[in-house]
Each structure stands twice: as C-alpha cells, then as structure tokens.
Amino acid sequence: MARRAQTGSGRLSRGLLLLWALLGTGLCQAGAEPEGFSQDARTSPPVAVFNWTAQLVEETYTNITQKCWEFFVDLMRNVTASELCEWKVISRPYSLLQACLEGWADHLRYGYPNALAEQYIFQSHHRYFHNCTLEHQVYFDPPEDVLLAMIIAPICLIPFLVTLVIWRSKDGKAQP
C-alpha cells in the first residue's frame, strides 16, 4: 500500500511540475489568482486552462497552410506544362490542397473559407493555371427578354392557328 501511495505522489509531483512549466511559458493560465492567504485560497486547487488565443490559432494555421502549399508545389512538379490544363491530371493535387486548407481550418476552428486559404487558391491559379482557356465554346442562356419572347410567341400562335383551322373547316365543301 505504501508503494502505491508513493507512485501517486510521484504522479502528482510530475503533474505540478508540468503545470508550473506551462504557467511559466504562458501557455496555460490560472482561472483565478488568489488575493491573499485566506482559507479558500489555500484549499481550492488552481484551474488550469489551455488558452488558445486568436493570434496563436492564426500563427498555427499560417504555418500549417505553408506546409500545405509546399506539398501542393511538390505534387505539381510532376505535372508537365502540356498537362497543366487537364483536370484529370491536376484534380488530385488541387483537391489535396483544398482539403488540407479546409481540414486544418476546421480542426483549429479557424473558419473556412478564409483570407489565407483564398490567397493560396488564387496563388495556385496565378502560378499554374493562368494560361488555361476553354477549348470548346460555352453556350449561355439568352437574356430574359429574348427568352420570354421565344416562349410566348409559339403560345400566342397556337390559338390563331386553331381558329384558322376551324374557320376553314366550316366551309361545307371538301377542298381537293
């Protein structure tokens, strides 16, 4: 039994040493500072909280996104200039960059999309994909007024044609 108590005491000492080290570096801050040597201050244990400040999260995310970018650049080294505009070739590196940026933002609760992630996406387009043009002509919908005219004209023409057919069929004689 005495050995077990000694092991627990050793764990407590290591825990206090770790807490002291964290408090000394500023990574951990006590929830409340005792104002004096009253009974409550001596008996209540200090509450250790790991304080992720916005600056620390942003700095961490900045460092991680730099690694994401370096990994993307390394993957793009394997892509030849003629393949830069082929989605089948670049989709994997591009998707991995996007997943890395988004995944770490979610993990750090930084928010996505964010300015830093957008900067890397724009940088990828500027560096690798700025010469990509569409090979096939893309068709767009006509303006609304033209589209409306194209829909209404046949609809209005149908009653006129029906009236014409009925009027011509009222003539009792069959026309050869």
Side-chain angles (χ1 to χ4, degrees), residues 42-61:
R42 282 183 288 153
T43 58
S44 61
V47 178
V49 177
F50 190 72
N51 188 10
W52 276 90
T53 62
Q55 182 181 5
L56 182 60
V57 170
E58 186 170 351
E59 184 178 325
T60 303
Y61 186 68

Side-chain angles (χ1 to χ4, degrees), residues 23-146:
L23 284 171
T25 60
L27 291 176
C28 184
Q29 301 194 8
E33 292 185 28
E35 294 188 14
F37 291 105
S38 66
Q39 179 66 22
D40 292 328
R42 282 183 288 153
T43 58
S44 61
V47 178
V49 177
F50 190 72
N51 188 10
W52 276 90
T53 62
Q55 182 181 5
L56 182 60
V57 170
E58 186 170 351
E59 184 178 325
T60 303
Y61 186 68
T62 301
N63 292 336
I64 290 172
T65 54
Q66 180 62 35
K67 298 297 181 190
C68 294
W69 174 253
E70 290 170 2
F71 181 66
F72 173 74
V73 169
D74 189 49
L75 289 175
M76 291 302 288
R77 283 190 184 115
N78 299 328
V79 179
T80 63
S82 63
E83 296 175 325
L84 280 177
C85 298
E86 293 182 31
W87 180 246
K88 290 179 182 180
V89 176
I90 59 135
S91 66
R92 181 176 173 265
Y94 190 82
S95 297
L96 287 174
L97 173 65
Q98 188 268 336
C100 184
L101 296 171
E102 184 176 0
W104 279 106
D106 288 344
H107 181 72
L108 295 172
R109 295 188 175 123
Y110 187 65
Y112 187 87
N114 56 60
L116 190 57
E118 287 179 3
Q119 179 183 350
Y120 281 114
I121 296 295
F122 286 136
Q123 186 175 348
S124 71
H125 283 259
H126 180 71
R127 184 171 176 178
Y128 294 104
F129 314 122
H130 67 279
N131 285 333
C132 295
T133 57
L134 297 174
E135 294 176 8
H136 305 288
Q137 185 177 5
V138 177
Y139 297 105
F140 296 102
D141 289 337
E144 284 187 29
D145 54 343
V146 174

